[in-house]
């Protein structure tokens, strides 16, 4: 187990930023850490990385308690915080050399060249950090988090400020890193999470509200959509009369969208309807809830 959080609580004044949350992240697993602004994501990440102390509970990285041995755990963690801390007056290679010296890396020059290539900084490697675009500054921060070849990566909004092409490139970097590293990353771009992760953890108001695979989370959505197309025009009353149907939308004379909380049963009814009325079904597909649907249902204010 690379990351284990046990009953973690952090209190600011009278507010519980995180409230007895627990979860685990396995070796070589990429997990999306989601929640609305103020949910406690960054606070949790800071505690895991040893930059902030909790009021109670434990954060354990690679079997080591972070609070008891913060320096030892920091050697195993690569951390890119939301507010990317860089020295703007330093050149890219100079800054990465500085970070490499902190980690006491022996083959510094080779490692810097490798990391610059990995995160796509080669065209900008000789520039001052202050001269870089926001996207390339993010790449410098990512490079700094990787320079010591950590076992665990904690990435807080790693694609902030990147253009669509850069996002795809960084996505591929993260996916490649996830083959042999544990990656926990937060993002407000849910499409990124769907593209990279098999599993997500969602917190809201400091409490853990979901921890599951994307497939299972989508299936847990109460309402699902069925798209059905007939070869013949169908009387609307026949579709609206089906049991366990929440709503029916007629897209045109032949295509219908049906919202239901029991896809299997409604599909069966549609097949029976077609058989009994000599109708031909051209297509019959269901759409489970998206990650956005799941996120909104778990974190929206009622």
């Amino acid at each position: 187990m690379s990351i284990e959080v046990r009953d973690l609580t952090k209190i600011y004044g009278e507010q519980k930023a995180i409230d007895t949350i627990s979860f685990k992240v396995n070796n070589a697993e990429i997990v999306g850490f989601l929640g609305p602004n103020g949910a406690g994501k960054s606070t949790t990440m800071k505690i895991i990385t040893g930059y902030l102390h909790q009021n109670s509970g434990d954060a354990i990285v690679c079997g080591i308690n972070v609070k008891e041995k913060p320096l030892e755990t920091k050697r195993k963690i690569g951390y890119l915080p939301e507010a990317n801390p860089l020295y703007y007056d330093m050149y890219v290679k100079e800054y990465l050399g500085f970070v490499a010296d902190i980690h006491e890396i022996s083959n510094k020059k080779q490692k810097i060249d490798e990391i610059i290539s990995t995160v796509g900084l080669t065209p900008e490697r000789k520039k001052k950090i202050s001269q870089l675009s926001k996207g390339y500054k993010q790449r410098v921060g990512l490079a700094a988090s990787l320079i010591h070849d950590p076992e665990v990566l904690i990435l807080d909004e790693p694609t902030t400020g990147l253009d669509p092409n850069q996002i795809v490139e960084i996505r591929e970097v993260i996916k490649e890193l996830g083959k042999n590293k544990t990656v926990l990353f937060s993002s407000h771009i849910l499409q990124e999470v769907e593209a990279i992760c098999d599993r997500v953890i969602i917190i809201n108001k400091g409490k853990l509200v979901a921890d599951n695979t994307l497939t299972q989370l989508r299936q847990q959505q109460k309402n699902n959509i069925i798209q059905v197309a007939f070869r013949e025009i169908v009387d609307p009353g026949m579709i609206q009369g089906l049991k366990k149907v929440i709503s029916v939308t007629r897209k045109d004379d032949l295509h219908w969208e049906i919202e239901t909380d029991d896809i299997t049963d409604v599909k069966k009814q549609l097949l029976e309807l077609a058989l009994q009325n000599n109708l031909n079904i051209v297509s019959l597909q269901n759409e489970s809830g998206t990650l956005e649907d799941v996120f909104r249902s778990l974190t929206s204010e009622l």
Side-chain angles (χ1 to χ4, degrees), residues 226-230 254-258 270 281 283-285:
I226 295 174
Q227 303 283 354
V228 59
F230 294 91
L254 304 179
H255 295 80
W256 298 81
E257 183 175 277
I258 303 169
L270 284 167
I281 293 178
S283 66
L284 180 60
Q285 300 176 331

Side-chain angles (χ1 to χ4, degrees), residues 80 84 86 92 95-96 115-124 129 132-147 155 157-171 173:
L80 177 61
N84 187 3
L86 300 170
V92 171
Y95 174 71
L96 293 177
I115 289 300
I116 283 176
S117 175
T118 298
V119 301
L121 270 171
T122 302
E124 311 293 317
I129 293 174
L132 301 179
S133 67
K134 187 174 182 181
Y136 275 112
K137 288 185 177 95
Q138 279 297 101
R139 291 175 187 239
V140 174
L142 183 58
S145 72
L146 290 168
I147 194 88
L155 308 176
E157 301 286 345
T159 56
T160 296
L162 303 185
D163 65 36
N165 291 331
Q166 292 171 333
I167 287 174
V168 172
E169 291 169 5
I170 295 300
R171 176 200 301 171
V173 170

Side-chain angles (χ1 to χ4, degrees), residues 33 69 75 116 119 135 137 173 177 218 235 247 259 281 291:
F33 193 39
K69 297 181 179 179
R75 293 189 182 99
I116 283 176
V119 301
K137 288 185 177 95
V173 170
L177 292 169
R218 291 189 191 106
D235 181 351
S247 66
E259 186 180 6
I281 293 178
L291 180 57

